[in-house]
Amino acid sequence: MGECHSSGPPPPAGHIAVIDDDPDFLAMVADVLDMAGYGVAAWTDPCAALQALRADPPMLAIIDLRMDRPTAGLEVLCRIRRDSALRGTPVIVCSADAVALHEQAATLRAHGAELLEKPFDLDDLLALISRLTYHDGRVPSG
């Protein structure tokens, strides 16, 4: 994958799941991740995403904190952590609502999530993904 924007080893096999109710955000992130050599699966519906993730676990998930409900992202994160097939998946929770992200930061981190405030620098997103997927950034199962 010589056309990747970042240096270093190529991305590991697998895909990144992106769950966000904003189709424009999904398209932008999918394009960036695709250009970086990652496979992407994107959903605007958290329930549909969770069903698909169980069938084909991702190497990492990016979840919007606030979707159809202010607590939707936290609920998705909790369901991932309770699922034996998904609980070790690294998760990045992002939001344009800096206040809500800050207020829920301790809870989100306690569930093993990394936090990223929108708008974010795409290089910061790629660096965070790289750190979580190339190193032992997985949440311990159990």
Side-chain angles (χ1 to χ4, degrees), residues 16 18 24 43 56 82 92 94 99 102 111 114 126-127 131:
I16 295 175
V18 185
D24 294 332
W43 295 272
D56 187 15
R82 284 193 305 262
I92 299 169
C94 58
V99 172
H102 177 71
H111 283 86
E114 295 286 333
L126 293 173
R131 180 173 64 82

Side-chain angles (χ1 to χ4, degrees), residues 79-102:
R79 289 181 68 183
I80 286 172
R81 293 299 180 238
R82 284 193 305 262
D83 189 301
S84 62
L86 299 173
R87 75 173 47 118
T89 303
V91 175
I92 299 169
V93 174
C94 58
S95 182
D97 186 343
V99 172
L101 196 62
H102 177 71

Side-chain angles (χ1 to χ4, degrees), residues 33-51:
L33 295 176
D34 184 59
M35 288 183 353
Y38 293 100
V40 180
W43 295 272
T44 56
D45 177 3
C47 291
L50 284 165
Q51 290 178 346

